Amino acid sequence: MTDENAAAELPAGMLTEGTLLDLMGIVITEASPERIVATMPVKGNVQPYGLLHGGASCVLAESLGSIGSALHAAAFDKVAVGVDINATHHRAVRDGVVTGVATPIYLGRTTTTYEIVITDERDKRVCTARITCQLIQAPPAS
């Protein structure tokens, strides 16, 4: 993670170092099954026209929803795997930092669904996403 002082404590076994989150500069600042918050720089996560890449927004959204789902799944000795994601991109961002906030729509024993709202530094909505995860038994360690 790029800023260890601002980073939230994640459960043991939930790594960010060397992952896509690390590569994209995503910093988790709050993490519980009820609310997950992270920031991501626009720089380095743009498409050829210099705008925040829609795929980068999806990575941020899926990461937040998956973390929340994993935290919820742990109560059932399960793990979370994404099965569906969709995103609506509302406005372009060229610079600065975006913030994603994930809140649950549904927290069940076999599935979870989160809404993720991504905003820019002016608190303008950039993207709205929804992810559904299936909760499954953890695969055996290899």
Side-chain angles (χ1 to χ4, degrees):
M1 289 196 209
T2 55
D3 185 358
E4 292 294 329
N5 295 330
E9 277 295 315
L10 296 177
M14 193 177 287
L15 305 174
T16 59
E17 188 175 334
T19 67
L20 187 56
L21 277 78
D22 193 29
L23 181 66
M24 295 181 70
I26 296 171
V27 176
I28 309 297
T29 58
E30 183 179 335
S32 74
E34 293 76 29
R35 181 177 158 93
I36 310 88
V37 181
T39 59
M40 180 180 72
V42 174
K43 184 177 181 180
N45 294 314
V46 297
Q47 39 92 309
Y49 296 111
L51 305 174
L52 177 64
H53 196 292
S57 293
C58 288
V59 168
L60 177 59
E62 181 154 353
S63 298
L64 297 180
S66 294
I67 289 169
S69 295
L71 292 169
H72 175 72
F76 305 105
D77 293 322
K78 293 183 176 182
V79 296
V81 293
V83 294
D84 180 66
I85 185 166
N86 68 65
T88 302
H89 307 290
H90 305 293
R91 71 176 61 243
V93 181
R94 289 189 173 277
D95 55 30
V97 173
V98 293
T99 300
V101 178
T103 53
I105 296 170
Y106 176 76
L107 295 175
R109 290 181 170 270
T110 59
T111 62
T112 59
T113 302
Y114 280 82
E115 177 184 56
I116 303 91
V117 175
I118 301 172
T119 56
D120 64 15
E121 291 176 317
R122 299 176 303 150
D123 205 30
K124 298 287 187 181
R125 190 178 291 227
V126 172
C127 176
T128 304
R130 189 185 72 228
I131 181 173
T132 298
C133 289
Q134 185 174 2
L135 308 185
I136 63 171
Q137 293 303 314
S142 43

